[in-house]
C-alpha cells in the first residue's frame, strides 16, 4: 500500500506491506537512529513521536501512521538539539543503545521549548525505557533538563 505521512517535518510517500511496522519503515528510509531491541513493546529503544505522543514503533503498524506527524531521533536532533546535548554533557549513557528512545521521551516530556518549564513528570517517561548498562540518575537529569541538585530522590 502507499503510505503518506509526515516524517521529521517532511511529507513522505512509501510503498509498504500492510503488516509493516513503523520501526521497519523508518529504518528502511535510512533513519537507523531508531533502534530495534525487544520488538515486543518493552524496552523503549524504538520510541518515536506520533502526533506528539511517544509510541513503540516496533508495535505500531505503519499504515496507522497515514496522515500523521512522525518524528524520529534524527529529526529531533535537528529541531531540538538541546535534548541530545543534555545527554552528551551529562554522559548519560554507556553503550548508548537506549539513548535515542530516551531523547524521544525527553521531547515528549517537554514538547514546547518556548514554554516555561512545567512540573515535568520525568519518571513516567522513563518507565517504558530499559537501560541495562548504566544508572538512571543522569538519564533522568538529562530528560528533565535540570541539574542533579534539582532532581529530588522521589523521582530517581
Ligand atoms: S524494540 Fe520496541 S519496545 Fe523494544
Ligand atoms: S546506555 Fe546501554 S542500555 Fe542504556
Amino acid at each position: 500500500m502507499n503510505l503518506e505521512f509526515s516524517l521529521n517535518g517532511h511529507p513522505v510517500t512509501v510503498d509498504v506491506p500492510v503488516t509493516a511496522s513503523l520501526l521497519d519503515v523508518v529504518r528502511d528510509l535510512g533513519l537507523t537512529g531508531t533502534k530495534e531491541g525487544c520488538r515486543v513493546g518493552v524496552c523503549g529503544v524504538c520510541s518515536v513521536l506520533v502526533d506528539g505522543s511517544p509510541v513503540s514503533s516496533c508495535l505500531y503498524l505503519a499504515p496507522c501512521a497515514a496522515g500523521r506527524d512522525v518524528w524520529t531521533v534524527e529529526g529531533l536532533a535537528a529541531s531540538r538539539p538541546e535534548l541530545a546535548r543534555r545527554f552528551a554533557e551529562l554522559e548519560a549513557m554507556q553503550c548508548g543503545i537506549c539513548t535515542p528512545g530516551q531523547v524521544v521521551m525527553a521531547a515528549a516530556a517537554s514538547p514546547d521549548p518556548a514554554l516555561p518549564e512545567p512540573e515535568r513528570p520525568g519518571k513516567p517517561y522513563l518507565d517504558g525505557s530499559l537501560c541495562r548498562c548504566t544508572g538512571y540518575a543522569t538519564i533522568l537529569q538529562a530528560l528533565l533538563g535540570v541539574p542533579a541538585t534539582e532532581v529530588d530522590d522521589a523521582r530517581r
Side-chain angles (χ1 to χ4, degrees):
M1 66 167 283
N2 256 6
L3 172 64
E4 296 181 26
F5 65 110
S6 174
L7 182 56
N8 294 331
H10 302 287
V12 169
T13 303
V14 282
D15 186 21
V16 301
V18 292
T19 56
S21 68
L22 187 55
L23 170 63
D24 288 337
V25 170
V26 298
R27 287 184 60 86
D28 286 349
L29 287 169
L31 300 177
T32 54
T34 304
K35 303 302 182 198
E36 177 181 349
C38 65
R39 269 211 178 259
V40 292
V42 171
C43 72
V45 303
C46 67
S47 298
V48 301
L49 295 183
V50 176
D51 289 345
S53 296
V55 303
S56 295
S57 63
C58 64
L59 295 183
Y60 194 96
L61 282 175
C64 296
R68 298 190 183 278
D69 186 29
V70 177
W71 285 81
T72 67
V73 68
E74 290 89 349
L76 293 170
S79 65
R80 302 281 310 274
E82 79 280 7
L83 299 176
R85 193 181 312 125
R86 286 184 211 153
F87 283 80
E89 288 175 352
L90 288 163
E91 299 181 5
M93 75 288 287
Q94 283 185 32
C95 76
I97 294 293
C98 61
T99 309
Q102 291 164 349
V103 170
V104 169
M105 295 297 182
S110 55
D112 186 348
L115 294 175
E117 295 292 359
E119 279 294 309
R120 287 162 299 191
K123 192 164 183 304
Y125 284 95
L126 282 182
D127 283 350
S129 175
L130 300 183
C131 175
R132 303 305 294 269
C133 60
T134 187
Y136 284 94
T138 54
I139 292 170
L140 187 52
Q141 290 164 32
L143 188 141
L144 292 169
V146 297
T149 52
E150 294 181 26
V151 179
D152 63 48
D153 288 340
R155 284 173 150 182
R156 290 178 192 245

